[in-house]
Amino acid sequence: MKRGEKIIEGVLFLCALITILTTVGIIWVLLKESISFFTEVSVFDFLTDKEWTPLFSDKHFGILPLLSGTLLTTVVAIVVALPLGLTIAIYLNEYAPKSFRKVVKPLLEILAAIPTVVYGFFALIVVTPFLQSIFPGLSGFNALSPGIVMGIMIVPFISSLSEDALAAVPSSLREASYGLGATKLQTSFKVLIPAASSGIISSVILALSRAIGETMIVAIAAGQQPRLTLDPTVPIETITAFIVQVSLGDVPHGSLEYKTIFAAGLTLFVFTLILNNVSFYVNRRYKLKYD
Amino acid sequence: MIKASTNQWKDQLFRIYGIGATFFGLLILGIFLVGIVIEGFSRLDFQFLSSLPSRLPGKAGILTAWTGSLWIFGLTSITSIPIGIGAAIWLEEYSKKNRLANLLEINISNLAGIPSIIYGILGLEIFVRMMKFGGSLLAGSFTLSLLILPIIIVSTREALKAVPRSIIQASLAMGATRWQTIWLQQLPAASSGIFTGIILSLARAIGETAPLIVIGALAYVPFVAKTPMDEFTVLPMQIFNWVSRPQHGFIVNAAAAILVLLIFVFIMNGIAIYFRYKSSKKVKW
Amino acid sequence: MNPIEVEIEKINDAVLEMIELVKAQLSRSRDSFMNSDEELAHQIIHTETRVNSLELTIDKYCENTIARFSPVATDLRFVVSMLKINSDLERIGDYAESIADYVLNINHKLEKTLMDNVRTDEMFNLAIEMLELIADAYATDNSKKMKKLFAKDKVLNQINKEKSQVIAEYVLANPSTIHDCLYLHSTIKKLERVGDHAKNIAENYIFYSDAKVLKHKK
Amino acid sequence: MVNRVMETNKFKIQAKDIHAYYGTHHVIKGIDMDIKPNSVTAFIGPSGCGKSTFLRLINRMNDYIEGFTKTGDILLDDKNIYASNVQVEQLRKEVGMVFQKPNPFPKSIFENVTYGLKIQGITNKSDLEETAERSLRQAALWEEVKDDLKKSALALSGGQQQRLCIARTLAVEPSVILMDEPASALDPISTAKIEELIFELKEKYTIIIVTHNMQQASRVSDRTAFFYMGELIEYGKTKQIFLNPKKEKTENYISGRFG
């Protein structure tokens, strides 16, 4: 009996250990290839060079253009998603009848469940032509269209998590505000949002991290032209799109071009890691407040 | 008094704005779906489902893609479900509050936030190169298993947590061992929650493209995979491939393939939502 | 203050009042009996109704406390003891009234020598002293003082034992006084009973305050 | 006669100088206690006084609590239950437990009652049925549920659920039953039924009950133990504790004048 229990516990522990091995594997793989990449390209160049042309004959390995592309699409996405998501969260939490919320919340979550390749199609085939009819100067590949679509995709992240945070505000606070004659709007903005701020911020950061790591939408609709720009109407390339580009091509294993995806991957990994942990930290502090 | 009525007015305005915002996303989703259906529905026939890929849009089909997706679904389930549930049980029921457990905890939250493409890079090095699986179904499903493992673990833990402590105490007090308690009480009680989490994560795996691109899954596979070591393609890969082609015929094909993919995904989400709804009604602790 | 304490306080005050009242009744019965004061006897009989109503009040308080507060420990012992003490006090009040009644019925003044021989005065005084002891011990919450009462009860019993012989000899000598002598005999008997009740009160009080059962122990 | 005296002097449970800690928090401070067989012992005391912790020490339910440590021994039938060769699962079959809130498993009534047997590997249908009936009868629930044993236990009323939990405990034939405020979530009628049941069960079992209800303690128990701040302040015959407590703290607590 006792031994059987021990064996079961051991097997279960091994299952849990796989998660650690995954992380170790990711870090090891990224570092191993990146280190060999940085023996050929200096870290300084990598961080400061304004051009990224590893696949050209005149090779430049500056990550900045890829970062700016990533930043651009991410910012557009957040600009779309934040007001929308927050409004939905407040509306569902304070205004909407319970039955309505019960139906709408899972429906909204479907937005996050749709495969990203489908969003990419949407951005390229529907949104870009539509935007071009408004801004004639818009290029066929650009940061704006995938950014907007990405924004729609991450709306449920912000709305769901923020709604949870708002719902977690003790009802005594809410009632105190109503008791003083405040409207729902005033209660929401003056009491609930400040009280739930950490939860909301953490949801936004999580959404940001999601947008940075998003691949297919930008790979399809943003173009493959790394350029250091803040103009959302021209083709750009993000880190993720670059990795896809290299993976699709016939780059020989072990070549410098091949190693670039690891250096780019490492950059992406570091960014998302930082954002995720900031989000956890903020959220944890917030939870402590009400326990 | 005037102030109060202004406030009321603002309040009403925000209500309308809130409804608008809520439906904006859904509206766009609706428009898009209708567009896809209009574009792709006519293409969706038996020939499309049963044909191999082709250079001609009118002859091309998604046989290899949807069979590949089914393979991936099956193989990923087999690897990720037992490991995910096992890990969740260990973390929730066996781990002591020490540094190792803390590390695992933080680690899993972090894994859930790592972009899928990074998993692709991991799969490329470990499964494709080191284990020499090549761009096979096995490499693909292993990679996707690692990708969805954190989601399964987190949702399983949530489901286990929702089982009242009193039930566990009662079982232990009856002289049941830890494992008997988990097996006979906690897992059955948490089953619908666990199942919901698994379905949702598998739905995600079905829709993933980026990691498979990185591990070298091919867009053009002219045969149906027979063994896990075969090369493969999946629906999202096929869609991606078609989207990036200039001819309009391929766009129509992409729309039709999207319809098939969405049917897959929506059915799985529907099942998950149904289960969540059912379990929320069933047991009142 | 705790609600049960309010109730306990009410009982306490009422019992204290009862003790004082009964003590006064007894001491007036002595004066009335010793001086053949018929006026005073009427007053005693009149006051008896107050004793009776106070008994009912105390009973009511105790019942209320039991019903509403389920007293335990000290409180429980207090309420139970007070119920019993209350009825003992009421009985003492009854005896005072009976003695007053005898005063009204005695035809001729009893001879002083006879009274002295049966130690009537001493007996009255002992009984009153016992009640004074009770009043004092109760008011100061001192169970040791209560114990002093047992010695007095023994004296009372002794006197009571001797009385029949003394009275019988007197009656043989003065047969015409037989009627009045029977009253004297009864009075002495009543005073002895007062002693018994006083002793009961002391025992019940000690049960309350020290949780010791002294009853039926020698 | 001599035999009987010997018999009553034998203790079912003996606690010897028990100290317990949650982390560094000292929750039980040197408790010694002897409990006679076939008796009902009530643990009373304010919340956080250690009575539940002490109760759970008797079937080692505290074992799984993070950071919990204890010193001292508890003997059950003169055997140390914390000895290294003791199997916790076996101990818990000997020392059953009923909890504050009724906690039936979300299964049928029958499955609930036979759970303890199933985990011991007993699958013989007639054995299971026999035990189910016996323990449901003992728990005074048989007449109410005999026709729908297949019904979900969650469909029973709170009082019935608690009696089901008691039946479930009885099914594995323990000799000691620990009850942690078993009636605190029930209405007065259900409470009365549970108390009646405790009274009947006393014939066969040694029962220890934690309760916040003074009247309940005084009604059902033979002996009462008053805990305060992790110490056993007073332990004695229930009648004595409620009529004439020796310690002022006990007096103040049971008469509601605490603090």
Side-chain angles (χ1 to χ4, degrees), chain A residues 67-96:
Chain A
L67 278 181
S68 79
T70 304
L71 184 74
L72 210 50
T73 51
T74 304
V75 166
V76 172
I78 286 296
V79 166
V80 171
L82 183 58
L84 219 50
L86 206 52
T87 307
I88 292 172
I90 294 170
Y91 176 73
L92 289 183
N93 193 264
E94 280 301 299
Y95 289 83

PDB file of all heavy atoms in Angstrom, chain A residues 67-96:
ATOM      1  N   LEU A  67      12.356  45.276 -33.632  1.00  0.00           N
ATOM      2  CA  LEU A  67      11.716  45.734 -32.394  1.00  0.00           C
ATOM      3  C   LEU A  67      10.696  46.820 -32.681  1.00  0.00           C
ATOM      4  O   LEU A  67       9.595  46.829 -32.132  1.00  0.00           O
ATOM      5  CB  LEU A  67      12.765  46.254 -31.407  1.00  0.00           C
ATOM      6  CG  LEU A  67      13.482  45.188 -30.572  1.00  0.00           C
ATOM      7  CD1 LEU A  67      14.469  45.862 -29.618  1.00  0.00           C
ATOM      8  CD2 LEU A  67      12.486  44.355 -29.785  1.00  0.00           C
ATOM      9  N   SER A  68      11.086  47.743 -33.567  1.00  0.00           N
ATOM     10  CA  SER A  68      10.157  48.843 -33.857  1.00  0.00           C
ATOM     11  C   SER A  68       8.912  48.306 -34.533  1.00  0.00           C
ATOM     12  O   SER A  68       7.802  48.751 -34.258  1.00  0.00           O
ATOM     13  CB  SER A  68      10.842  49.915 -34.710  1.00  0.00           C
ATOM     14  OG  SER A  68      10.873  49.506 -36.058  1.00  0.00           O
ATOM     15  N   GLY A  69       9.082  47.304 -35.405  1.00  0.00           N
ATOM     16  CA  GLY A  69       7.921  46.690 -36.037  1.00  0.00           C
ATOM     17  C   GLY A  69       7.019  46.041 -35.017  1.00  0.00           C
ATOM     18  O   GLY A  69       5.798  46.239 -35.010  1.00  0.00           O
ATOM     19  N   THR A  70       7.636  45.297 -34.114  1.00  0.00           N
ATOM     20  CA  THR A  70       6.877  44.638 -33.050  1.00  0.00           C
ATOM     21  C   THR A  70       6.149  45.675 -32.197  1.00  0.00           C
ATOM     22  O   THR A  70       4.961  45.544 -31.895  1.00  0.00           O
ATOM     23  CB  THR A  70       7.838  43.812 -32.169  1.00  0.00           C
ATOM     24  OG1 THR A  70       8.543  42.903 -33.000  1.00  0.00           O
ATOM     25  CG2 THR A  70       7.077  43.038 -31.116  1.00  0.00           C
ATOM     26  N   LEU A  71       6.915  46.707 -31.839  1.00  0.00           N
ATOM     27  CA  LEU A  71       6.348  47.761 -31.001  1.00  0.00           C
ATOM     28  C   LEU A  71       5.142  48.409 -31.674  1.00  0.00           C
ATOM     29  O   LEU A  71       4.098  48.626 -31.056  1.00  0.00           O
ATOM     30  CB  LEU A  71       7.431  48.816 -30.729  1.00  0.00           C
ATOM     31  CG  LEU A  71       7.023  49.930 -29.778  1.00  0.00           C
ATOM     32  CD1 LEU A  71       6.998  49.382 -28.351  1.00  0.00           C
ATOM     33  CD2 LEU A  71       7.978  51.120 -29.871  1.00  0.00           C
ATOM     34  N   LEU A  72       5.310  48.681 -32.972  1.00  0.00           N
ATOM     35  CA  LEU A  72       4.274  49.384 -33.719  1.00  0.00           C
ATOM     36  C   LEU A  72       2.961  48.590 -33.716  1.00  0.00           C
ATOM     37  O   LEU A  72       1.889  49.108 -33.368  1.00  0.00           O
ATOM     38  CB  LEU A  72       4.761  49.599 -35.151  1.00  0.00           C
ATOM     39  CG  LEU A  72       4.245  50.820 -35.887  1.00  0.00           C
ATOM     40  CD1 LEU A  72       4.400  52.071 -35.057  1.00  0.00           C
ATOM     41  CD2 LEU A  72       4.975  50.952 -37.223  1.00  0.00           C
ATOM     42  N   THR A  73       3.038  47.332 -34.103  1.00  0.00           N
ATOM     43  CA  THR A  73       1.811  46.525 -34.142  1.00  0.00           C
ATOM     44  C   THR A  73       1.219  46.383 -32.749  1.00  0.00           C
ATOM     45  O   THR A  73       0.000  46.452 -32.561  1.00  0.00           O
ATOM     46  CB  THR A  73       2.092  45.123 -34.716  1.00  0.00           C
ATOM     47  OG1 THR A  73       3.199  44.555 -34.032  1.00  0.00           O
ATOM     48  CG2 THR A  73       2.389  45.185 -36.202  1.00  0.00           C
ATOM     49  N   THR A  74       2.101  46.226 -31.761  1.00  0.00           N
ATOM     50  CA  THR A  74       1.623  46.051 -30.386  1.00  0.00           C
ATOM     51  C   THR A  74       0.890  47.294 -29.900  1.00  0.00           C
ATOM     52  O   THR A  74      -0.182  47.211 -29.294  1.00  0.00           O
ATOM     53  CB  THR A  74       2.802  45.742 -29.451  1.00  0.00           C
ATOM     54  OG1 THR A  74       3.488  44.606 -29.954  1.00  0.00           O
ATOM     55  CG2 THR A  74       2.337  45.460 -28.050  1.00  0.00           C
ATOM     56  N   VAL A  75       1.494  48.463 -30.187  1.00  0.00           N
ATOM     57  CA  VAL A  75       0.873  49.713 -29.731  1.00  0.00           C
ATOM     58  C   VAL A  75      -0.495  49.883 -30.375  1.00  0.00           C
ATOM     59  O   VAL A  75      -1.488  50.206 -29.708  1.00  0.00           O
ATOM     60  CB  VAL A  75       1.786  50.917 -30.019  1.00  0.00           C
ATOM     61  CG1 VAL A  75       1.015  52.226 -29.879  1.00  0.00           C
ATOM     62  CG2 VAL A  75       2.990  50.906 -29.106  1.00  0.00           C
ATOM     63  N   VAL A  76      -0.547  49.633 -31.695  1.00  0.00           N
ATOM     64  CA  VAL A  76      -1.839  49.754 -32.379  1.00  0.00           C
ATOM     65  C   VAL A  76      -2.858  48.820 -31.726  1.00  0.00           C
ATOM     66  O   VAL A  76      -3.993  49.206 -31.442  1.00  0.00           O
ATOM     67  CB  VAL A  76      -1.697  49.429 -33.887  1.00  0.00           C
ATOM     68  CG1 VAL A  76      -3.078  49.374 -34.539  1.00  0.00           C
ATOM     69  CG2 VAL A  76      -0.825  50.454 -34.572  1.00  0.00           C
ATOM     70  N   ALA A  77      -2.404  47.591 -31.452  1.00  0.00           N
ATOM     71  CA  ALA A  77      -3.309  46.610 -30.859  1.00  0.00           C
ATOM     72  C   ALA A  77      -3.837  47.084 -29.516  1.00  0.00           C
ATOM     73  O   ALA A  77      -5.034  47.010 -29.230  1.00  0.00           O
ATOM     74  CB  ALA A  77      -2.600  45.268 -30.695  1.00  0.00           C
ATOM     75  N   ILE A  78      -2.936  47.615 -28.684  1.00  0.00           N
ATOM     76  CA  ILE A  78      -3.351  48.051 -27.348  1.00  0.00           C
ATOM     77  C   ILE A  78      -4.277  49.258 -27.439  1.00  0.00           C
ATOM     78  O   ILE A  78      -5.263  49.370 -26.704  1.00  0.00           O
ATOM     79  CB  ILE A  78      -2.111  48.371 -26.475  1.00  0.00           C
ATOM     80  CG1 ILE A  78      -1.427  47.066 -26.051  1.00  0.00           C
ATOM     81  CG2 ILE A  78      -2.486  49.170 -25.252  1.00  0.00           C
ATOM     82  CD1 ILE A  78      -2.257  46.169 -25.158  1.00  0.00           C
ATOM     83  N   VAL A  79      -3.960  50.164 -28.371  1.00  0.00           N
ATOM     84  CA  VAL A  79      -4.800  51.351 -28.537  1.00  0.00           C
ATOM     85  C   VAL A  79      -6.233  50.927 -28.891  1.00  0.00           C
ATOM     86  O   VAL A  79      -7.208  51.531 -28.465  1.00  0.00           O
ATOM     87  CB  VAL A  79      -4.212  52.288 -29.620  1.00  0.00           C
ATOM     88  CG1 VAL A  79      -5.239  53.327 -30.051  1.00  0.00           C
ATOM     89  CG2 VAL A  79      -2.966  52.975 -29.091  1.00  0.00           C
ATOM     90  N   VAL A  80      -6.344  49.863 -29.678  1.00  0.00           N
ATOM     91  CA  VAL A  80      -7.675  49.369 -30.014  1.00  0.00           C
ATOM     92  C   VAL A  80      -8.288  48.621 -28.827  1.00  0.00           C
ATOM     93  O   VAL A  80      -9.441  48.845 -28.460  1.00  0.00           O
ATOM     94  CB  VAL A  80      -7.608  48.418 -31.234  1.00  0.00           C
ATOM     95  CG1 VAL A  80      -8.947  47.726 -31.452  1.00  0.00           C
ATOM     96  CG2 VAL A  80      -7.201  49.202 -32.469  1.00  0.00           C
ATOM     97  N   ALA A  81      -7.485  47.756 -28.213  1.00  0.00           N
ATOM     98  CA  ALA A  81      -8.046  46.810 -27.253  1.00  0.00           C
ATOM     99  C   ALA A  81      -8.336  47.423 -25.893  1.00  0.00           C
ATOM    100  O   ALA A  81      -9.306  47.053 -25.241  1.00  0.00           O
ATOM    101  CB  ALA A  81      -7.097  45.620 -27.085  1.00  0.00           C
ATOM    102  N   LEU A  82      -7.495  48.357 -25.463  1.00  0.00           N
ATOM    103  CA  LEU A  82      -7.639  48.850 -24.085  1.00  0.00           C
ATOM    104  C   LEU A  82      -8.974  49.544 -23.843  1.00  0.00           C
ATOM    105  O   LEU A  82      -9.712  49.166 -22.940  1.00  0.00           O
ATOM    106  CB  LEU A  82      -6.453  49.747 -23.714  1.00  0.00           C
ATOM    107  CG  LEU A  82      -6.454  50.255 -22.284  1.00  0.00           C
ATOM    108  CD1 LEU A  82      -6.460  49.102 -21.295  1.00  0.00           C
ATOM    109  CD2 LEU A  82      -5.262  51.158 -22.011  1.00  0.00           C
ATOM    110  N   PRO A  83      -9.296  50.607 -24.634  1.00  0.00           N
ATOM    111  CA  PRO A  83     -10.593  51.251 -24.366  1.00  0.00           C
ATOM    112  C   PRO A  83     -11.762  50.298 -24.555  1.00  0.00           C
ATOM    113  O   PRO A  83     -12.694  50.293 -23.758  1.00  0.00           O
ATOM    114  CB  PRO A  83     -10.647  52.407 -25.367  1.00  0.00           C
ATOM    115  CG  PRO A  83      -9.570  52.168 -26.339  1.00  0.00           C
ATOM    116  CD  PRO A  83      -8.577  51.248 -25.724  1.00  0.00           C
ATOM    117  N   LEU A  84     -11.659  49.479 -25.591  1.00  0.00           N
ATOM    118  CA  LEU A  84     -12.745  48.558 -25.875  1.00  0.00           C
ATOM    119  C   LEU A  84     -12.898  47.536 -24.731  1.00  0.00           C
ATOM    120  O   LEU A  84     -13.990  47.344 -24.188  1.00  0.00           O
ATOM    121  CB  LEU A  84     -12.419  47.825 -27.185  1.00  0.00           C
ATOM    122  CG  LEU A  84     -13.554  47.548 -28.155  1.00  0.00           C
ATOM    123  CD1 LEU A  84     -14.369  48.802 -28.425  1.00  0.00           C
ATOM    124  CD2 LEU A  84     -12.997  46.980 -29.456  1.00  0.00           C
ATOM    125  N   GLY A  85     -11.790  46.937 -24.377  1.00  0.00           N
ATOM    126  CA  GLY A  85     -11.820  45.892 -23.347  1.00  0.00           C
ATOM    127  C   GLY A  85     -12.267  46.432 -22.009  1.00  0.00           C
ATOM    128  O   GLY A  85     -13.075  45.818 -21.314  1.00  0.00           O
ATOM    129  N   LEU A  86     -11.758  47.590 -21.652  1.00  0.00           N
ATOM    130  CA  LEU A  86     -12.090  48.165 -20.353  1.00  0.00           C
ATOM    131  C   LEU A  86     -13.567  48.559 -20.302  1.00  0.00           C
ATOM    132  O   LEU A  86     -14.261  48.324 -19.307  1.00  0.00           O
ATOM    133  CB  LEU A  86     -11.197  49.382 -20.100  1.00  0.00           C
ATOM    134  CG  LEU A  86     -10.954  49.729 -18.642  1.00  0.00           C
ATOM    135  CD1 LEU A  86     -10.471  48.507 -17.883  1.00  0.00           C
ATOM    136  CD2 LEU A  86      -9.926  50.849 -18.545  1.00  0.00           C
ATOM    137  N   THR A  87     -14.033  49.163 -21.392  1.00  0.00           N
ATOM    138  CA  THR A  87     -15.446  49.543 -21.436  1.00  0.00           C
ATOM    139  C   THR A  87     -16.328  48.307 -21.285  1.00  0.00           C
ATOM    140  O   THR A  87     -17.299  48.306 -20.522  1.00  0.00           O
ATOM    141  CB  THR A  87     -15.774  50.232 -22.775  1.00  0.00           C
ATOM    142  OG1 THR A  87     -14.859  51.296 -22.965  1.00  0.00           O
ATOM    143  CG2 THR A  87     -17.191  50.754 -22.776  1.00  0.00           C
ATOM    144  N   ILE A  88     -15.959  47.261 -22.015  1.00  0.00           N
ATOM    145  CA  ILE A  88     -16.755  46.033 -21.933  1.00  0.00           C
ATOM    146  C   ILE A  88     -16.743  45.495 -20.501  1.00  0.00           C
ATOM    147  O   ILE A  88     -17.774  45.123 -19.956  1.00  0.00           O
ATOM    148  CB  ILE A  88     -16.208  44.969 -22.914  1.00  0.00           C
ATOM    149  CG1 ILE A  88     -16.457  45.410 -24.350  1.00  0.00           C
ATOM    150  CG2 ILE A  88     -16.866  43.618 -22.663  1.00  0.00           C
ATOM    151  CD1 ILE A  88     -15.790  44.547 -25.394  1.00  0.00           C
ATOM    152  N   ALA A  89     -15.551  45.524 -19.896  1.00  0.00           N
ATOM    153  CA  ALA A  89     -15.448  45.014 -18.521  1.00  0.00           C
ATOM    154  C   ALA A  89     -16.366  45.795 -17.589  1.00  0.00           C
ATOM    155  O   ALA A  89     -17.106  45.219 -16.798  1.00  0.00           O
ATOM    156  CB  ALA A  89     -14.003  45.102 -18.037  1.00  0.00           C
ATOM    157  N   ILE A  90     -16.320  47.125 -17.693  1.00  0.00           N
ATOM    158  CA  ILE A  90     -17.158  47.946 -16.817  1.00  0.00           C
ATOM    159  C   ILE A  90     -18.632  47.713 -17.116  1.00  0.00           C
ATOM    160  O   ILE A  90     -19.454  47.538 -16.225  1.00  0.00           O
ATOM    161  CB  ILE A  90     -16.823  49.441 -16.980  1.00  0.00           C
ATOM    162  CG1 ILE A  90     -15.406  49.715 -16.486  1.00  0.00           C
ATOM    163  CG2 ILE A  90     -17.818  50.306 -16.225  1.00  0.00           C
ATOM    164  CD1 ILE A  90     -14.911  51.087 -16.823  1.00  0.00           C
ATOM    165  N   TYR A  91     -18.934  47.687 -18.411  1.00  0.00           N
ATOM    166  CA  TYR A  91     -20.336  47.513 -18.780  1.00  0.00           C
ATOM    167  C   TYR A  91     -20.874  46.184 -18.249  1.00  0.00           C
ATOM    168  O   TYR A  91     -21.930  46.122 -17.627  1.00  0.00           O
ATOM    169  CB  TYR A  91     -20.503  47.584 -20.301  1.00  0.00           C
ATOM    170  CG  TYR A  91     -21.924  47.324 -20.708  1.00  0.00           C
ATOM    171  CD1 TYR A  91     -22.913  48.288 -20.489  1.00  0.00           C
ATOM    172  CD2 TYR A  91     -22.301  46.106 -21.257  1.00  0.00           C
ATOM    173  CE1 TYR A  91     -24.234  48.038 -20.811  1.00  0.00           C
ATOM    174  CE2 TYR A  91     -23.619  45.850 -21.583  1.00  0.00           C
ATOM    175  CZ  TYR A  91     -24.585  46.818 -21.363  1.00  0.00           C
ATOM    176  OH  TYR A  91     -25.885  46.561 -21.663  1.00  0.00           O
ATOM    177  N   LEU A  92     -20.106  45.127 -18.485  1.00  0.00           N
ATOM    178  CA  LEU A  92     -20.574  43.809 -18.053  1.00  0.00           C
ATOM    179  C   LEU A  92     -20.667  43.726 -16.539  1.00  0.00           C
ATOM    180  O   LEU A  92     -21.583  43.134 -15.990  1.00  0.00           O
ATOM    181  CB  LEU A  92     -19.645  42.705 -18.566  1.00  0.00           C
ATOM    182  CG  LEU A  92     -19.696  42.418 -20.058  1.00  0.00           C
ATOM    183  CD1 LEU A  92     -18.781  41.259 -20.403  1.00  0.00           C
ATOM    184  CD2 LEU A  92     -21.112  42.113 -20.512  1.00  0.00           C
ATOM    185  N   ASN A  93     -19.701  44.366 -15.882  1.00  0.00           N
ATOM    186  CA  ASN A  93     -19.669  44.243 -14.427  1.00  0.00           C
ATOM    187  C   ASN A  93     -20.739  45.068 -13.735  1.00  0.00           C
ATOM    188  O   ASN A  93     -21.347  44.632 -12.770  1.00  0.00           O
ATOM    189  CB  ASN A  93     -18.287  44.650 -13.911  1.00  0.00           C
ATOM    190  CG  ASN A  93     -18.100  44.236 -12.470  1.00  0.00           C
ATOM    191  OD1 ASN A  93     -18.302  45.014 -11.562  1.00  0.00           O
ATOM    192  ND2 ASN A  93     -17.759  42.980 -12.267  1.00  0.00           N
ATOM    193  N   GLU A  94     -20.941  46.295 -14.230  1.00  0.00           N
ATOM    194  CA  GLU A  94     -21.805  47.210 -13.494  1.00  0.00           C
ATOM    195  C   GLU A  94     -23.186  47.395 -14.117  1.00  0.00           C
ATOM    196  O   GLU A  94     -24.163  47.606 -13.422  1.00  0.00           O
ATOM    197  CB  GLU A  94     -21.128  48.584 -13.384  1.00  0.00           C
ATOM    198  CG  GLU A  94     -20.093  48.649 -12.315  1.00  0.00           C
ATOM    199  CD  GLU A  94     -20.657  48.342 -10.936  1.00  0.00           C
ATOM    200  OE1 GLU A  94     -21.541  49.081 -10.482  1.00  0.00           O
ATOM    201  OE2 GLU A  94     -20.240  47.338 -10.336  1.00  0.00           O
ATOM    202  N   TYR A  95     -23.235  47.370 -15.435  1.00  0.00           N
ATOM    203  CA  TYR A  95     -24.491  47.748 -16.084  1.00  0.00           C
ATOM    204  C   TYR A  95     -25.315  46.544 -16.544  1.00  0.00           C
ATOM    205  O   TYR A  95     -26.529  46.515 -16.362  1.00  0.00           O
ATOM    206  CB  TYR A  95     -24.213  48.637 -17.299  1.00  0.00           C
ATOM    207  CG  TYR A  95     -23.747  50.023 -16.933  1.00  0.00           C
ATOM    208  CD1 TYR A  95     -22.425  50.276 -16.629  1.00  0.00           C
ATOM    209  CD2 TYR A  95     -24.658  51.092 -16.906  1.00  0.00           C
ATOM    210  CE1 TYR A  95     -21.993  51.549 -16.293  1.00  0.00           C
ATOM    211  CE2 TYR A  95     -24.238  52.372 -16.571  1.00  0.00           C
ATOM    212  CZ  TYR A  95     -22.909  52.579 -16.267  1.00  0.00           C
ATOM    213  OH  TYR A  95     -22.502  53.834 -15.931  1.00  0.00           O
ATOM    214  N   ALA A  96     -24.626  45.593 -17.176  1.00  0.00           N
ATOM    215  CA  ALA A  96     -25.370  44.529 -17.847  1.00  0.00           C
ATOM    216  C   ALA A  96     -26.084  43.631 -16.847  1.00  0.00           C
ATOM    217  O   ALA A  96     -25.578  43.387 -15.757  1.00  0.00           O
ATOM    218  CB  ALA A  96     -24.414  43.688 -18.691  1.00  0.00           C
TER     219      ALA A  96
END
